């Protein structure tokens, strides 16, 4: 497992006046971090993480400061910007990704609690659309700020249990259920078995959907809508990724690597198994 603290975004510029000697000294102390799929250039410097800034950085920083004021411990803290125009966040020790511990039912239930605590902590934060990275969404009015990218690579584990979430660049106003669906897409997972991590390939997806919803406290009305919203999300995520891929960069690499086909396979698998999954949920 690797140390974490990475993220997604667009590269910022180098501040004028930074000497070559100062730049070299900075680079010598930088440890590259393998973060998400979208951004390169995420590094660790001491107990901090430096990440390229993006258009959503001001909104993300405001959110992280709100979470700190609310007492939510499951997110990094904002420390400002460095001389290279990168954001500075606290480094959160731990591991990311799936292993024998993080793929357990206990870890999944704890993730449901973590996501519920995060959503509750966003209460009172302005639910305005401006400033956030775009993406697929629910049709209902926003209720919370969703993480919207809670993949195994964006959850920090300690002792095999979820401790914190990182990489908030795709966060945006949404419904609780949309963020739940996005999370379960990766963690149940709602995916064709051929595309699942080996540790998740033979698990009972319906049972894991129910377990997560029980831990989060998803009400019956939302459980009845969960699979419908998952199908909507597949359709819209496919369209969003295809559009972003035309701009090149890492989005194009993900698309060329089969992201669109994986979404299509997941939607087809859901069509076949919807009745049994629904029975487990309700």
């Amino acid at each position: 497992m690797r140390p974490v603290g990475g993220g997604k975004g667009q590269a910022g510029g180098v501040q004028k006046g930074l000497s070559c000697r100062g730049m070299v000294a900075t680079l010598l102390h930088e440890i590259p971090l393998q973060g998400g799929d979208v951004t390169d250039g995420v590094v660790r410097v001491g107990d901090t993480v430096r990440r390229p800034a993006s258009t959503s950085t001001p909104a993300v920083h405001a959110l992280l400061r709100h979470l700190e004021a609310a007492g939510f411990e499951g997110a990094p803290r904002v420390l400002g910007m460095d001389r290279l125009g990168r954001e500075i966040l606290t480094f959160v020790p731990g591991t990311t990704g799936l292993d024998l511990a993080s793929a357990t039912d206990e870890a999944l239930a704890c993730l449901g609690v973590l996501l519920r605590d995060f959503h509750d902590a966003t209460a009172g934060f302005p639910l305005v659309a401006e400033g956030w990275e775009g993406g697929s969404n629910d049709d209902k009015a926003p209720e919370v700020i969703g993480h919207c990218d809670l993949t195994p690579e964006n959850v920090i584990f300690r002792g095999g249990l979820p401790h914190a979430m990182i990489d908030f660049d795709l966060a945006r106003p949404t419904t609780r259920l949309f963020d739940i669906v996005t999370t379960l897409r990766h963690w149940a997972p709602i995916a064709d078995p051929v595309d699942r991590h080996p540790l998740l390939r033979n698990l009972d997806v319906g049972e894991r959907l129910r377990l997560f919803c029980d831990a989060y406290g998803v009400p019956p009305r939302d459980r009845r809508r969960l699979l419908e919203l998952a199908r909507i999300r597949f359709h819209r995520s496919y369209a969003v990724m295809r559009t972003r891929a035309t701009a090149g960069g890492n989005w194009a690499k993900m698309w060329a690597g089969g992201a669109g086909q994986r979404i299509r396979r997941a939607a087809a698998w859901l069509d076949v198994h919807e009745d049994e999954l629904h029975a487990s949920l309700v």
Side-chain angles (χ1 to χ4, degrees):
M1 285 301 180
R2 62 182 183 272
V4 297
K8 304 176 179 66
Q10 301 297 320
V14 176
Q15 180 176 326
K16 293 182 179 179
L18 179 62
S19 68
C20 292
R21 180 177 298 175
M23 185 180 296
V24 170
T26 299
L27 294 175
L28 287 175
H29 293 86
E30 294 182 354
I31 303 172
L33 296 176
Q34 301 299 316
D37 295 319
V38 178
T39 295
D40 297 319
V42 181
V43 298
R44 177 180 178 182
V45 180
D47 292 330
T48 71
V49 170
R50 312 298 173 97
R51 302 173 63 255
S54 73
T55 55
S56 67
T57 295
V60 171
H61 283 192
L63 172 64
L64 293 178
R65 290 188 175 103
H66 173 90
L67 294 175
E68 181 178 9
F72 179 71
E73 298 293 335
R77 304 309 189 202
V78 178
L79 300 178
M81 307 293 290
D82 71 8
R83 295 182 298 172
L84 299 179
R86 302 174 300 186
E87 57 177 324
I88 309 174
L89 305 173
T90 55
F91 177 82
V92 184
T95 60
T96 63
L98 287 167
D99 58 20
L100 289 174
S102 60
T104 65
D105 287 351
E106 182 183 12
L108 182 69
C110 288
L111 182 63
V113 174
L114 178 65
L115 185 61
R116 174 61 184 262
D117 289 345
F118 164 65
H119 286 163
D120 289 349
T122 70
F125 192 84
L127 300 178
V128 295
E130 293 78 14
W132 301 100
E133 181 76 23
S136 58
N137 216 329
D138 199 345
D139 289 326
K140 293 183 176 294
E143 303 165 335
V144 296
I145 300 296
H147 184 283
C148 298
D149 195 29
L150 208 57
T151 66
E153 291 72 30
N154 289 340
V155 178
I156 295 181
F157 289 84
R158 291 184 186 173
L161 297 178
H163 171 75
M165 51 182 70
I166 57 173
D167 290 8
F168 286 80
D169 285 338
L170 296 183
R172 54 189 178 270
T174 188
T175 63
R176 290 176 181 264
L177 188 61
F178 183 86
D179 209 16
I180 290 168
V181 165
T182 299
T183 302
L184 289 172
R185 161 80 172 98
H186 304 284
W187 288 93
I190 307 175
D192 188 294
V194 72
D195 297 316
R196 298 178 195 168
H197 188 284
L199 291 172
L200 302 179
R201 191 162 291 154
N202 298 314
L203 298 180
D204 186 332
V205 175
E207 177 63 19
R208 284 174 67 83
L209 292 175
R210 184 198 61 76
L211 177 65
F212 186 95
C213 289
D214 285 350
Y216 182 99
V218 178
R221 67 179 182 278
D222 283 343
R223 296 187 192 214
R224 288 190 289 269
R225 185 173 176 257
L226 190 149
L227 299 178
E228 172 193 347
L229 185 56
R231 184 174 289 103
I232 292 172
R233 182 188 176 278
F234 284 138
H235 175 74
R236 293 178 180 175
S237 294
Y238 182 92
V240 168
M241 288 201 69
R242 181 175 57 187
T243 299
R244 286 176 170 168
T246 62
N250 284 340
W251 288 105
K253 292 179 183 178
M254 285 189 288
W255 189 259
Q261 291 90 332
R262 288 190 291 274
I263 293 172
R264 291 300 198 206
R265 285 193 293 269
W269 181 86
L270 177 58
D271 286 341
V272 172
H273 297 277
E274 180 174 6
D275 288 345
E276 62 194 74
L277 296 177
H278 185 77
S280 295
L281 278 168
V282 302

